[in-house]
Amino acid sequence: MKPIRYPGLFAVLCVALLAGCAEERAATRPEPAAAQTSARQAVAEPTEPKAILMRMAEFLANAPRFSVNLRDNYDAVQASGQKIEFGERRKIIVSRPNGLRVESEHSDGDKHLVLYDGKDITVFTPSQNVYAQAAKPGGIDEAVMYFLRDLHMRLPLAMLLTSRLPAELERRTQALDYVERTTIDGTPAHHLAGRTETVDYQVWISEGAQPLPLRIVLTYKNAEGLPQFRAQFADWNFSPEIQDAQFVFTPPEGAQKIAFLAQLPQLSLRGTTPSEPTGGQQ
């Protein structure tokens, strides 16, 4: 039997991502007082977990453009209860207010492309030479929420791409701890641990002038088997060379346009028969 690759849980994992800081706790592994004093003197930046988290969120939300590479891994719980790990690589380009490009390659080699140009959301699967498209003017924030909630499509950690990130963090987090000061691939970082109603999360945020997420781990505490999603960030670039054409989809020769699965009821009511549906499990 082929392992279940994308359970429905992961179709909306980014909506539950991180979230607001309504409560703070004492550090789970506090540093000695001397070490804390030395760190405060060496780095002129927040030391409280909420301030560190919100500084990261506001930095990303206010960045006019950026690109980043991700390596994701996630657990898919099988009917037997066994957890199977799958993964993907992604390259993300954001150009506010209207440009979004997400290139992904799954661990089985299958590739996908998500584009937004301020007017249309497009999902393209090269291996099948098919694409689905939906009109959604209004900007990246509106397009991302429509993609997740109305089209029921999958875009892990999508809130990191929107200007809504600080508000979402402020609204959803129920508890937040400072775990430790550590390093990720040689970069000094703050390790934070938070809790929402449905997700426990950990985030490693770089020290310095650019408070960037370097690693994120989500644990779905109410799901059977407590599956996790893990993401490692690399090659952050806040001055990427960007052209508008990178966000516009031009169908390749022979490409077939299909419908998003969520659009099928509307198409049926209008008497339109789509050639083939696509769904939230890219």
Side-chain angles (χ1 to χ4, degrees):
M1 178 182 296
K2 187 177 181 180
I4 301 171
R5 187 180 183 89
Y6 293 124
L9 170 67
F10 290 95
V12 293
L13 64 87
C14 47
V15 176
L17 162 70
L18 302 182
C21 306
E23 175 184 342
E24 296 182 16
R25 296 180 182 175
T28 55
R29 291 173 55 188
E31 293 180 314
Q36 292 179 0
T37 301
S38 176
R40 290 191 185 99
Q41 292 173 346
V43 180
E45 60 182 75
T47 56
E48 295 299 318
K50 178 178 178 179
I52 293 169
L53 186 67
M54 297 306 294
R55 182 170 179 254
M56 178 271 291
E58 290 165 2
F59 183 84
L60 289 183
N62 292 324
R65 58 176 57 189
F66 63 83
S67 65
V68 65
N69 294 324
L70 286 84
R71 176 65 184 267
D72 302 340
N73 294 282
Y74 54 89
D75 300 327
V77 181
Q78 308 301 295
S80 65
Q82 182 180 10
K83 286 189 286 191
I84 303 295
E85 182 180 272
F86 293 100
E88 65 185 322
R89 294 180 181 273
R90 289 187 288 150
K91 180 179 178 62
I92 297 173
I93 301 175
V94 171
S95 181
R96 304 190 199 281
N98 293 322
L100 176 63
R101 182 184 181 95
V102 182
E103 304 173 33
S104 63
E105 181 176 357
H106 297 163
S107 50
D108 63 0
D110 201 17
K111 297 180 180 180
H112 300 276
L113 176 65
V114 177
L115 295 174
Y116 179 65
D117 61 2
K119 298 180 295 182
D120 296 314
I121 305 169
T122 304
V123 178
F124 176 54
T125 302
S127 61
Q128 301 177 37
N129 202 20
V130 297
Y131 69 98
Q133 200 166 60
K136 187 59 182 176
I140 292 174
D141 286 13
E142 290 76 9
V144 165
M145 298 315 298
Y146 181 75
F147 191 76
L148 299 174
R149 294 179 176 176
D150 294 271
L151 296 180
H152 307 300
M153 295 296 291
R154 178 180 177 271
L155 190 60
L157 305 182
M159 284 299 108
L160 292 178
L161 313 179
T162 74
S163 63
R164 304 171 55 135
L165 180 60
E168 289 297 314
L169 289 169
E170 188 71 38
R171 183 170 68 90
R172 293 181 180 271
T173 294
Q174 298 174 344
L176 184 67
D177 295 327
Y178 190 102
V179 180
E180 63 179 354
R181 184 174 181 269
T182 185
T183 59
I184 297 291
D185 294 332
T187 300
H190 304 285
H191 180 188
L192 308 182
R195 309 199 83 178
T196 74
E197 184 177 352
T198 59
V199 175
D200 287 348
Y201 67 83
Q202 300 177 70
V203 57
W204 289 256
I205 300 171
S206 61
E207 293 184 350
Q210 294 188 333
L212 304 173
L214 303 177
R215 176 174 166 79
I216 287 176
V217 176
L218 308 179
T219 302
Y220 293 87
K221 59 187 180 182
N222 296 337
E224 184 176 357
L226 299 177
Q228 286 190 329
F229 171 90
R230 299 165 286 276
Q232 197 89 6
F233 299 78
D235 305 320
W236 282 101
N237 184 353
F238 289 87
S239 300
E241 294 184 4
I242 294 176
Q243 298 179 350
D244 290 343
Q246 291 177 277
F247 310 111
V248 178
F249 181 69
T250 301
E253 184 177 355
Q256 180 184 9
K257 186 176 183 179
I258 60 179
F260 289 103
L261 187 61
Q263 294 176 323
L264 293 182
Q266 301 174 26
L267 293 172
S268 297
L269 288 174
R270 293 200 299 263
T272 304
T273 303
S275 56
E276 185 180 348
T278 187
Q281 299 181 356
Q282 298 181 37

